Amino acid sequence: MKKKILIAAMAVSMAFPVVCRAEDDIRVYLDGARLEFDAAPVIRDNSALVPFRKIFESLGMEVGWNGEAHTGTAQKDGLAISVVTDSNVMRVNGKDVNLITPPIIMSERILVPLRAVSEAAGADVLWDGDARTVTITSEEALLENARREVLALTNAERAKYGLNPLTLDDRLTAAADAHCDDMILRGYFDHVNPDGKSPADRLNDAGIDYMMMGENIAAGQRSAEEVMTDWMNSEGHRENIFNPDYKSIGIGVRRGGEYHMYWAQEFARFK
């Protein structure tokens, strides 16, 4: 198990019922919107299979198909997935992932196991057997939910001491996300990036005019509750969270890298 790490910068001035058959009554929702397929989902070996192109394009991926090799590909933002019909191995960024149920061709469509491919794309999948409904939450929605949870938990802690709630600021959030992305891309964990830029430098470079600012970062925590617990158990992080002079906050949340989840809080009071 990867360890969790965090640093504070001080302020500065499915399981499904076994034969292969169409299941017209299976409903699939992605981020609250129902997906309509040009070929009905089927059940095979306790797995739901759906059309390859539709599910990956709905997840925001660019899709390709090699008819000679019977291989489908999907790509987005550094993520590459490939599947081969009748093969129990899926490739995710060059690594083999075993499938319980292989992709198949039916009615001139390649059908892929819904849970496996959705989770490979970073999504969460839930199956409600009574309602015969699959609910998919995309990675983007999961990260946005986590961001909102961190904001709510931060303001709940401040409220205990009569402090004003912080307002989520888009510019600070973009800076926080960018720092998480940079730590993942360049394989480091620090307030100061490999170019020697501090949190204050990065806000200046982003054109953010502030009177004072501070930063919390963390890595390895799997949820908003977990990262907030770790920050609240650290004196330096609590000082930023409880600073009464801060009015705005940006919250970064990203998946990937050595620690799998990276978090950042950018605190500021603007001029």
mmCIF file of all heavy atoms in Angstrom, residues 38-88:
data_model
loop_
_atom_site.group_PDB
_atom_site.id
_atom_site.type_symbol
_atom_site.label_atom_id
_atom_site.label_comp_id
_atom_site.label_asym_id
_atom_site.label_seq_id
_atom_site.Cartn_x
_atom_site.Cartn_y
_atom_site.Cartn_z
ATOM 1 N N ASP A 38 -27.368 1.714 -29.950
ATOM 2 C CA ASP A 38 -27.924 1.258 -31.222
ATOM 3 C C ASP A 38 -27.995 -0.262 -31.299
ATOM 4 O O ASP A 38 -28.474 -0.819 -32.289
ATOM 5 C CB ASP A 38 -27.112 1.811 -32.402
ATOM 6 C CG ASP A 38 -25.646 1.440 -32.364
ATOM 7 O OD1 ASP A 38 -25.242 0.709 -31.432
ATOM 8 O OD2 ASP A 38 -24.899 1.882 -33.256
ATOM 9 N N ALA A 39 -27.484 -0.919 -30.275
ATOM 10 C CA ALA A 39 -27.644 -2.370 -30.110
ATOM 11 C C ALA A 39 -27.894 -2.619 -28.638
ATOM 12 O O ALA A 39 -27.215 -2.046 -27.779
ATOM 13 C CB ALA A 39 -26.398 -3.117 -30.590
ATOM 14 N N ALA A 40 -28.866 -3.440 -28.320
ATOM 15 C CA ALA A 40 -29.254 -3.637 -26.925
ATOM 16 C C ALA A 40 -28.134 -4.300 -26.128
ATOM 17 O O ALA A 40 -27.392 -5.139 -26.655
ATOM 18 C CB ALA A 40 -30.503 -4.503 -26.860
ATOM 19 N N PRO A 41 -27.978 -3.915 -24.864
ATOM 20 C CA PRO A 41 -27.031 -4.619 -23.998
ATOM 21 C C PRO A 41 -27.375 -6.101 -23.929
ATOM 22 O O PRO A 41 -28.533 -6.490 -24.086
ATOM 23 C CB PRO A 41 -27.237 -3.940 -22.636
ATOM 24 C CG PRO A 41 -27.814 -2.603 -22.947
ATOM 25 C CD PRO A 41 -28.669 -2.821 -24.160
ATOM 26 N N VAL A 42 -26.329 -6.923 -23.721
ATOM 27 C CA VAL A 42 -26.554 -8.358 -23.581
ATOM 28 C C VAL A 42 -25.907 -8.829 -22.290
ATOM 29 O O VAL A 42 -25.031 -8.154 -21.729
ATOM 30 C CB VAL A 42 -25.990 -9.168 -24.769
ATOM 31 C CG1 VAL A 42 -26.631 -8.731 -26.064
ATOM 32 C CG2 VAL A 42 -24.473 -9.054 -24.835
ATOM 33 N N ILE A 43 -26.387 -9.981 -21.820
ATOM 34 C CA ILE A 43 -25.820 -10.611 -20.640
ATOM 35 C C ILE A 43 -25.026 -11.833 -21.073
ATOM 36 O O ILE A 43 -25.526 -12.666 -21.834
ATOM 37 C CB ILE A 43 -26.926 -11.043 -19.661
ATOM 38 C CG1 ILE A 43 -27.718 -9.828 -19.178
ATOM 39 C CG2 ILE A 43 -26.323 -11.793 -18.468
ATOM 40 C CD1 ILE A 43 -26.911 -8.821 -18.414
ATOM 41 N N ARG A 44 -23.771 -11.922 -20.606
ATOM 42 C CA ARG A 44 -22.952 -13.097 -20.899
ATOM 43 C C ARG A 44 -22.056 -13.366 -19.704
ATOM 44 O O ARG A 44 -21.326 -12.474 -19.268
ATOM 45 C CB ARG A 44 -22.105 -12.875 -22.150
ATOM 46 C CG ARG A 44 -21.281 -14.096 -22.550
ATOM 47 C CD ARG A 44 -20.628 -13.871 -23.890
ATOM 48 N NE ARG A 44 -19.891 -15.050 -24.316
ATOM 49 C CZ ARG A 44 -19.294 -15.172 -25.503
ATOM 50 N NH1 ARG A 44 -19.359 -14.185 -26.366
ATOM 51 N NH2 ARG A 44 -18.641 -16.275 -25.811
ATOM 52 N N ASP A 45 -22.118 -14.591 -19.195
ATOM 53 C CA ASP A 45 -21.257 -14.990 -18.072
ATOM 54 C C ASP A 45 -21.349 -13.987 -16.921
ATOM 55 O O ASP A 45 -20.334 -13.541 -16.378
ATOM 56 C CB ASP A 45 -19.800 -15.146 -18.518
ATOM 57 C CG ASP A 45 -19.629 -16.208 -19.585
ATOM 58 O OD1 ASP A 45 -20.430 -17.162 -19.585
ATOM 59 O OD2 ASP A 45 -18.714 -16.081 -20.417
ATOM 60 N N ASN A 46 -22.577 -13.599 -16.591
ATOM 61 C CA ASN A 46 -22.821 -12.698 -15.457
ATOM 62 C C ASN A 46 -22.269 -11.282 -15.657
ATOM 63 O O ASN A 46 -22.072 -10.554 -14.692
ATOM 64 C CB ASN A 46 -22.264 -13.281 -14.156
ATOM 65 C CG ASN A 46 -22.962 -14.563 -13.759
ATOM 66 O OD1 ASN A 46 -24.182 -14.671 -13.907
ATOM 67 N ND2 ASN A 46 -22.207 -15.524 -13.273
ATOM 68 N N SER A 47 -22.017 -10.911 -16.901
ATOM 69 C CA SER A 47 -21.540 -9.558 -17.197
ATOM 70 C C SER A 47 -22.440 -8.911 -18.234
ATOM 71 O O SER A 47 -22.972 -9.595 -19.125
ATOM 72 C CB SER A 47 -20.106 -9.574 -17.720
ATOM 73 O OG SER A 47 -19.199 -10.024 -16.741
ATOM 74 N N ALA A 48 -22.622 -7.613 -18.122
ATOM 75 C CA ALA A 48 -23.355 -6.859 -19.130
ATOM 76 C C ALA A 48 -22.367 -6.359 -20.172
ATOM 77 O O ALA A 48 -21.315 -5.812 -19.843
ATOM 78 C CB ALA A 48 -24.084 -5.681 -18.500
ATOM 79 N N LEU A 49 -22.696 -6.547 -21.452
ATOM 80 C CA LEU A 49 -21.879 -6.047 -22.541
ATOM 81 C C LEU A 49 -22.672 -5.018 -23.328
ATOM 82 O O LEU A 49 -23.871 -5.201 -23.581
ATOM 83 C CB LEU A 49 -21.420 -7.181 -23.465
ATOM 84 C CG LEU A 49 -20.424 -8.176 -22.861
ATOM 85 C CD1 LEU A 49 -21.165 -9.337 -22.205
ATOM 86 C CD2 LEU A 49 -19.455 -8.690 -23.913
ATOM 87 N N VAL A 50 -21.998 -3.940 -23.716
ATOM 88 C CA VAL A 50 -22.646 -2.849 -24.441
ATOM 89 C C VAL A 50 -21.778 -2.460 -25.636
ATOM 90 O O VAL A 50 -20.595 -2.794 -25.687
ATOM 91 C CB VAL A 50 -22.853 -1.622 -23.522
ATOM 92 C CG1 VAL A 50 -23.775 -1.947 -22.359
ATOM 93 C CG2 VAL A 50 -21.511 -1.088 -23.021
ATOM 94 N N PRO A 51 -22.347 -1.742 -26.605
ATOM 95 C CA PRO A 51 -21.571 -1.340 -27.775
ATOM 96 C C PRO A 51 -20.337 -0.517 -27.406
ATOM 97 O O PRO A 51 -20.408 0.449 -26.639
ATOM 98 C CB PRO A 51 -22.566 -0.514 -28.585
ATOM 99 C CG PRO A 51 -23.886 -1.110 -28.238
ATOM 100 C CD PRO A 51 -23.781 -1.442 -26.770
ATOM 101 N N PHE A 52 -19.208 -0.945 -27.964
ATOM 102 C CA PHE A 52 -17.896 -0.360 -27.667
ATOM 103 C C PHE A 52 -17.848 1.142 -27.945
ATOM 104 O O PHE A 52 -17.438 1.932 -27.108
ATOM 105 C CB PHE A 52 -16.849 -1.110 -28.505
ATOM 106 C CG PHE A 52 -15.509 -0.456 -28.591
ATOM 107 C CD1 PHE A 52 -14.574 -0.622 -27.577
ATOM 108 C CD2 PHE A 52 -15.150 0.304 -29.691
ATOM 109 C CE1 PHE A 52 -13.328 -0.026 -27.656
ATOM 110 C CE2 PHE A 52 -13.905 0.901 -29.772
ATOM 111 C CZ PHE A 52 -12.996 0.729 -28.753
ATOM 112 N N ARG A 53 -18.246 1.532 -29.150
ATOM 113 C CA ARG A 53 -18.100 2.936 -29.538
ATOM 114 C C ARG A 53 -18.921 3.864 -28.646
ATOM 115 O O ARG A 53 -18.432 4.894 -28.179
ATOM 116 C CB ARG A 53 -18.487 3.129 -30.998
ATOM 117 C CG ARG A 53 -18.351 4.583 -31.497
ATOM 118 C CD ARG A 53 -18.607 4.693 -32.981
ATOM 119 N NE ARG A 53 -17.607 3.961 -33.744
ATOM 120 C CZ ARG A 53 -16.402 4.449 -34.062
ATOM 121 N NH1 ARG A 53 -16.060 5.675 -33.673
ATOM 122 N NH2 ARG A 53 -15.551 3.732 -34.751
ATOM 123 N N LYS A 54 -20.166 3.491 -28.386
ATOM 124 C CA LYS A 54 -21.049 4.358 -27.615
ATOM 125 C C LYS A 54 -20.536 4.573 -26.206
ATOM 126 O O LYS A 54 -20.505 5.715 -25.712
ATOM 127 C CB LYS A 54 -22.459 3.761 -27.568
ATOM 128 C CG LYS A 54 -23.449 4.555 -26.720
ATOM 129 C CD LYS A 54 -23.741 5.916 -27.317
ATOM 130 C CE LYS A 54 -24.818 6.640 -26.530
ATOM 131 N NZ LYS A 54 -25.205 7.920 -27.128
ATOM 132 N N ILE A 55 -20.109 3.517 -25.517
ATOM 133 C CA ILE A 55 -19.709 3.692 -24.124
ATOM 134 C C ILE A 55 -18.442 4.528 -24.020
ATOM 135 O O ILE A 55 -18.337 5.417 -23.177
ATOM 136 C CB ILE A 55 -19.556 2.323 -23.406
ATOM 137 C CG1 ILE A 55 -19.303 2.542 -21.920
ATOM 138 C CG2 ILE A 55 -18.461 1.471 -24.024
ATOM 139 C CD1 ILE A 55 -20.402 3.269 -21.184
ATOM 140 N N PHE A 56 -17.470 4.293 -24.908
ATOM 141 C CA PHE A 56 -16.228 5.052 -24.798
ATOM 142 C C PHE A 56 -16.402 6.500 -25.252
ATOM 143 O O PHE A 56 -15.829 7.409 -24.641
ATOM 144 C CB PHE A 56 -15.110 4.366 -25.577
ATOM 145 C CG PHE A 56 -14.432 3.261 -24.804
ATOM 146 C CD1 PHE A 56 -14.424 1.967 -25.281
ATOM 147 C CD2 PHE A 56 -13.815 3.523 -23.594
ATOM 148 C CE1 PHE A 56 -13.802 0.947 -24.571
ATOM 149 C CE2 PHE A 56 -13.192 2.520 -22.876
ATOM 150 C CZ PHE A 56 -13.189 1.228 -23.365
ATOM 151 N N GLU A 57 -17.173 6.731 -26.292
ATOM 152 C CA GLU A 57 -17.406 8.115 -26.694
ATOM 153 C C GLU A 57 -18.185 8.864 -25.628
ATOM 154 O O GLU A 57 -17.941 10.067 -25.403
ATOM 155 C CB GLU A 57 -18.137 8.157 -28.030
ATOM 156 C CG GLU A 57 -17.260 7.760 -29.210
ATOM 157 C CD GLU A 57 -17.958 7.877 -30.550
ATOM 158 O OE1 GLU A 57 -19.219 7.940 -30.564
ATOM 159 O OE2 GLU A 57 -17.257 7.908 -31.574
ATOM 160 N N SER A 58 -19.093 8.191 -24.947
ATOM 161 C CA SER A 58 -19.828 8.826 -23.854
ATOM 162 C C SER A 58 -18.895 9.197 -22.705
ATOM 163 O O SER A 58 -19.163 10.156 -21.969
ATOM 164 C CB SER A 58 -20.937 7.898 -23.349
ATOM 165 O OG SER A 58 -21.888 7.638 -24.363
ATOM 166 N N LEU A 59 -17.817 8.439 -22.541
ATOM 167 C CA LEU A 59 -16.819 8.734 -21.516
ATOM 168 C C LEU A 59 -15.775 9.737 -22.007
ATOM 169 O O LEU A 59 -14.764 9.961 -21.347
ATOM 170 C CB LEU A 59 -16.138 7.445 -21.063
ATOM 171 C CG LEU A 59 -17.024 6.488 -20.243
ATOM 172 C CD1 LEU A 59 -16.369 5.114 -20.138
ATOM 173 C CD2 LEU A 59 -17.301 7.053 -18.854
ATOM 174 N N GLY A 60 -16.017 10.343 -23.166
ATOM 175 C CA GLY A 60 -15.150 11.402 -23.666
ATOM 176 C C GLY A 60 -13.887 10.925 -24.344
ATOM 177 O O GLY A 60 -12.917 11.685 -24.445
ATOM 178 N N MET A 61 -13.883 9.686 -24.844
ATOM 179 C CA MET A 61 -12.678 9.124 -25.435
ATOM 180 C C MET A 61 -12.795 9.060 -26.960
ATOM 181 O O MET A 61 -13.887 8.935 -27.520
ATOM 182 C CB MET A 61 -12.403 7.737 -24.858
ATOM 183 C CG MET A 61 -12.321 7.717 -23.334
ATOM 184 S SD MET A 61 -11.763 6.149 -22.647
ATOM 185 C CE MET A 61 -10.013 6.208 -23.024
ATOM 186 N N GLU A 62 -11.646 9.141 -27.625
ATOM 187 C CA GLU A 62 -11.583 9.007 -29.075
ATOM 188 C C GLU A 62 -11.444 7.525 -29.419
ATOM 189 O O GLU A 62 -10.555 6.851 -28.898
ATOM 190 C CB GLU A 62 -10.400 9.795 -29.632
ATOM 191 C CG GLU A 62 -10.286 9.771 -31.143
ATOM 192 C CD GLU A 62 -9.131 10.612 -31.645
ATOM 193 O OE1 GLU A 62 -8.634 11.457 -30.861
ATOM 194 O OE2 GLU A 62 -8.727 10.411 -32.805
ATOM 195 N N VAL A 63 -12.293 7.046 -30.300
ATOM 196 C CA VAL A 63 -12.419 5.612 -30.541
ATOM 197 C C VAL A 63 -11.892 5.239 -31.922
ATOM 198 O O VAL A 63 -12.065 5.985 -32.896
ATOM 199 C CB VAL A 63 -13.899 5.181 -30.415
ATOM 200 C CG1 VAL A 63 -14.067 3.707 -30.744
ATOM 201 C CG2 VAL A 63 -14.400 5.470 -29.003
ATOM 202 N N GLY A 64 -11.233 4.077 -32.001
ATOM 203 C CA GLY A 64 -10.772 3.538 -33.274
ATOM 204 C C GLY A 64 -11.066 2.051 -33.362
ATOM 205 O O GLY A 64 -11.258 1.382 -32.349
ATOM 206 N N TRP A 65 -11.106 1.521 -34.614
ATOM 207 C CA TRP A 65 -11.391 0.099 -34.813
ATOM 208 C C TRP A 65 -10.523 -0.435 -35.945
ATOM 209 O O TRP A 65 -10.473 0.150 -37.032
ATOM 210 C CB TRP A 65 -12.867 -0.113 -35.138
ATOM 211 C CG TRP A 65 -13.209 -1.495 -35.635
ATOM 212 C CD1 TRP A 65 -13.613 -1.850 -36.891
ATOM 213 C CD2 TRP A 65 -13.167 -2.707 -34.881
ATOM 214 N NE1 TRP A 65 -13.832 -3.189 -36.962
ATOM 215 C CE2 TRP A 65 -13.573 -3.753 -35.744
ATOM 216 C CE3 TRP A 65 -12.844 -3.013 -33.558
ATOM 217 C CZ2 TRP A 65 -13.655 -5.075 -35.338
ATOM 218 C CZ3 TRP A 65 -12.926 -4.341 -33.153
ATOM 219 C CH2 TRP A 65 -13.323 -5.354 -34.023
ATOM 220 N N ASN A 66 -9.791 -1.524 -35.685
ATOM 221 C CA ASN A 66 -8.984 -2.215 -36.683
ATOM 222 C C ASN A 66 -9.690 -3.522 -37.014
ATOM 223 O O ASN A 66 -9.652 -4.474 -36.236
ATOM 224 C CB ASN A 66 -7.577 -2.472 -36.140
ATOM 225 C CG ASN A 66 -6.654 -3.111 -37.161
ATOM 226 O OD1 ASN A 66 -7.080 -3.903 -38.004
ATOM 227 N ND2 ASN A 66 -5.384 -2.765 -37.099
ATOM 228 N N GLY A 67 -10.359 -3.537 -38.178
ATOM 229 C CA GLY A 67 -11.149 -4.696 -38.548
ATOM 230 C C GLY A 67 -10.319 -5.946 -38.764
ATOM 231 O O GLY A 67 -10.748 -7.051 -38.419
ATOM 232 N N GLU A 68 -9.116 -5.787 -39.328
ATOM 233 C CA GLU A 68 -8.280 -6.951 -39.585
ATOM 234 C C GLU A 68 -7.823 -7.614 -38.289
ATOM 235 O O GLU A 68 -7.782 -8.837 -38.175
ATOM 236 C CB GLU A 68 -7.066 -6.554 -40.424
ATOM 237 C CG GLU A 68 -7.410 -6.123 -41.844
ATOM 238 C CD GLU A 68 -6.179 -5.828 -42.661
ATOM 239 O OE1 GLU A 68 -5.051 -5.981 -42.119
ATOM 240 O OE2 GLU A 68 -6.334 -5.448 -43.838
ATOM 241 N N ALA A 69 -7.466 -6.788 -37.306
ATOM 242 C CA ALA A 69 -6.986 -7.315 -36.025
ATOM 243 C C ALA A 69 -8.117 -7.521 -35.026
ATOM 244 O O ALA A 69 -7.888 -8.034 -33.932
ATOM 245 C CB ALA A 69 -5.938 -6.376 -35.428
ATOM 246 N N HIS A 70 -9.343 -7.108 -35.410
ATOM 247 C CA HIS A 70 -10.498 -7.199 -34.510
ATOM 248 C C HIS A 70 -10.204 -6.492 -33.181
ATOM 249 O O HIS A 70 -10.534 -6.993 -32.109
ATOM 250 C CB HIS A 70 -10.885 -8.663 -34.254
ATOM 251 C CG HIS A 70 -11.536 -9.312 -35.425
ATOM 252 N ND1 HIS A 70 -12.452 -10.327 -35.293
ATOM 253 C CD2 HIS A 70 -11.420 -9.087 -36.757
ATOM 254 C CE1 HIS A 70 -12.878 -10.709 -36.490
ATOM 255 N NE2 HIS A 70 -12.252 -9.966 -37.390
ATOM 256 N N THR A 71 -9.595 -5.319 -33.283
ATOM 257 C CA THR A 71 -9.148 -4.573 -32.107
ATOM 258 C C THR A 71 -9.812 -3.209 -32.061
ATOM 259 O O THR A 71 -9.813 -2.468 -33.056
ATOM 260 C CB THR A 71 -7.619 -4.397 -32.122
ATOM 261 O OG1 THR A 71 -7.007 -5.684 -32.113
ATOM 262 C CG2 THR A 71 -7.148 -3.610 -30.902
ATOM 263 N N GLY A 72 -10.349 -2.874 -30.896
ATOM 264 C CA GLY A 72 -10.896 -1.554 -30.675
ATOM 265 C C GLY A 72 -9.997 -0.763 -29.747
ATOM 266 O O GLY A 72 -9.417 -1.316 -28.805
ATOM 267 N N THR A 73 -9.845 0.534 -29.998
ATOM 268 C CA THR A 73 -8.990 1.379 -29.168
ATOM 269 C C THR A 73 -9.766 2.604 -28.727
ATOM 270 O O THR A 73 -10.673 3.084 -29.412
ATOM 271 C CB THR A 73 -7.734 1.833 -29.932
ATOM 272 O OG1 THR A 73 -8.131 2.564 -31.111
ATOM 273 C CG2 THR A 73 -6.879 0.645 -30.327
ATOM 274 N N ALA A 74 -9.393 3.124 -27.552
ATOM 275 C CA ALA A 74 -9.995 4.348 -27.017
ATOM 276 C C ALA A 74 -8.905 5.131 -26.303
ATOM 277 O O ALA A 74 -8.110 4.549 -25.549
ATOM 278 C CB ALA A 74 -11.140 4.015 -26.065
ATOM 279 N N GLN A 75 -8.848 6.446 -26.545
ATOM 280 C CA GLN A 75 -7.781 7.269 -25.975
ATOM 281 C C GLN A 75 -8.323 8.594 -25.469
ATOM 282 O O GLN A 75 -9.265 9.150 -26.033
ATOM 283 C CB GLN A 75 -6.700 7.547 -27.024
ATOM 284 C CG GLN A 75 -6.026 6.308 -27.575
ATOM 285 C CD GLN A 75 -4.923 6.634 -28.554
ATOM 286 O OE1 GLN A 75 -4.224 7.631 -28.418
ATOM 287 N NE2 GLN A 75 -4.763 5.794 -29.560
ATOM 288 N N LYS A 76 -7.697 9.098 -24.404
ATOM 289 C CA LYS A 76 -8.027 10.422 -23.875
ATOM 290 C C LYS A 76 -7.024 10.800 -22.806
ATOM 291 O O LYS A 76 -6.785 10.036 -21.868
ATOM 292 C CB LYS A 76 -9.433 10.434 -23.267
ATOM 293 C CG LYS A 76 -9.844 11.789 -22.685
ATOM 294 C CD LYS A 76 -11.188 11.739 -21.995
ATOM 295 C CE LYS A 76 -11.108 11.056 -20.654
ATOM 296 N NZ LYS A 76 -12.338 11.234 -19.856
ATOM 297 N N ASP A 77 -6.403 11.970 -22.934
ATOM 298 C CA ASP A 77 -5.597 12.564 -21.865
ATOM 299 C C ASP A 77 -4.626 11.578 -21.218
ATOM 300 O O ASP A 77 -4.643 11.379 -20.004
ATOM 301 C CB ASP A 77 -6.503 13.161 -20.774
ATOM 302 C CG ASP A 77 -7.390 14.269 -21.303
ATOM 303 O OD1 ASP A 77 -7.012 14.887 -22.312
ATOM 304 O OD2 ASP A 77 -8.456 14.507 -20.711
ATOM 305 N N GLY A 78 -3.798 10.945 -22.029
ATOM 306 C CA GLY A 78 -2.801 10.048 -21.476
ATOM 307 C C GLY A 78 -3.308 8.664 -21.122
ATOM 308 O O GLY A 78 -2.553 7.845 -20.595
ATOM 309 N N LEU A 79 -4.576 8.387 -21.394
ATOM 310 C CA LEU A 79 -5.143 7.068 -21.139
ATOM 311 C C LEU A 79 -5.397 6.378 -22.471
ATOM 312 O O LEU A 79 -6.048 6.934 -23.357
ATOM 313 C CB LEU A 79 -6.458 7.185 -20.372
ATOM 314 C CG LEU A 79 -7.239 5.888 -20.142
ATOM 315 C CD1 LEU A 79 -6.444 4.928 -19.267
ATOM 316 C CD2 LEU A 79 -8.600 6.183 -19.522
ATOM 317 N N ALA A 80 -4.868 5.153 -22.629
ATOM 318 C CA ALA A 80 -5.063 4.373 -23.846
ATOM 319 C C ALA A 80 -5.565 2.981 -23.477
ATOM 320 O O ALA A 80 -4.947 2.283 -22.673
ATOM 321 C CB ALA A 80 -3.762 4.268 -24.633
ATOM 322 N N ILE A 81 -6.704 2.602 -24.046
ATOM 323 C CA ILE A 81 -7.320 1.309 -23.780
ATOM 324 C C ILE A 81 -7.511 0.582 -25.103
ATOM 325 O O ILE A 81 -7.931 1.193 -26.102
ATOM 326 C CB ILE A 81 -8.685 1.478 -23.083
ATOM 327 C CG1 ILE A 81 -8.525 2.206 -21.740
ATOM 328 C CG2 ILE A 81 -9.364 0.129 -22.871
ATOM 329 C CD1 ILE A 81 -9.847 2.563 -21.076
ATOM 330 N N SER A 82 -7.189 -0.703 -25.136
ATOM 331 C CA SER A 82 -7.457 -1.496 -26.325
ATOM 332 C C SER A 82 -8.056 -2.834 -25.928
ATOM 333 O O SER A 82 -7.686 -3.419 -24.907
ATOM 334 C CB SER A 82 -6.187 -1.715 -27.156
ATOM 335 O OG SER A 82 -5.241 -2.488 -26.451
ATOM 336 N N VAL A 83 -9.000 -3.299 -26.738
ATOM 337 C CA VAL A 83 -9.653 -4.590 -26.511
ATOM 338 C C VAL A 83 -9.655 -5.358 -27.818
ATOM 339 O O VAL A 83 -9.670 -4.776 -28.910
ATOM 340 C CB VAL A 83 -11.098 -4.418 -25.989
ATOM 341 C CG1 VAL A 83 -11.118 -3.757 -24.622
ATOM 342 C CG2 VAL A 83 -11.942 -3.612 -26.979
ATOM 343 N N VAL A 84 -9.628 -6.671 -27.707
ATOM 344 C CA VAL A 84 -9.658 -7.557 -28.863
ATOM 345 C C VAL A 84 -10.831 -8.508 -28.689
ATOM 346 O O VAL A 84 -11.026 -9.070 -27.598
ATOM 347 C CB VAL A 84 -8.342 -8.353 -28.999
ATOM 348 C CG1 VAL A 84 -8.391 -9.247 -30.230
ATOM 349 C CG2 VAL A 84 -7.143 -7.408 -29.061
ATOM 350 N N THR A 85 -11.631 -8.671 -29.728
ATOM 351 C CA THR A 85 -12.784 -9.553 -29.616
ATOM 352 C C THR A 85 -12.348 -10.972 -29.278
ATOM 353 O O THR A 85 -11.331 -11.478 -29.777
ATOM 354 C CB THR A 85 -13.593 -9.568 -30.929
ATOM 355 O OG1 THR A 85 -12.745 -9.954 -32.009
ATOM 356 C CG2 THR A 85 -14.157 -8.185 -31.210
ATOM 357 N N ASP A 86 -13.108 -11.589 -28.391
ATOM 358 C CA ASP A 86 -12.885 -12.962 -27.930
ATOM 359 C C ASP A 86 -11.589 -13.132 -27.137
ATOM 360 O O ASP A 86 -11.147 -14.259 -26.920
ATOM 361 C CB ASP A 86 -12.905 -13.957 -29.105
ATOM 362 C CG ASP A 86 -14.249 -13.958 -29.816
ATOM 363 O OD1 ASP A 86 -15.284 -13.900 -29.118
ATOM 364 O OD2 ASP A 86 -14.261 -13.992 -31.057
ATOM 365 N N SER A 87 -10.986 -12.026 -26.699
ATOM 366 C CA SER A 87 -9.781 -12.099 -25.867
ATOM 367 C C SER A 87 -10.113 -11.659 -24.452
ATOM 368 O O SER A 87 -10.791 -10.646 -24.249
ATOM 369 C CB SER A 87 -8.670 -11.198 -26.421
ATOM 370 O OG SER A 87 -7.585 -11.117 -25.508
ATOM 371 N N ASN A 88 -9.619 -12.403 -23.479
ATOM 372 C CA ASN A 88 -9.855 -12.065 -22.077
ATOM 373 C C ASN A 88 -8.819 -11.101 -21.524
ATOM 374 O O ASN A 88 -8.718 -10.938 -20.306
ATOM 375 C CB ASN A 88 -9.875 -13.331 -21.212
ATOM 376 C CG ASN A 88 -11.148 -14.127 -21.393
ATOM 377 O OD1 ASN A 88 -11.235 -14.968 -22.282
ATOM 378 N ND2 ASN A 88 -12.153 -13.853 -20.570
#
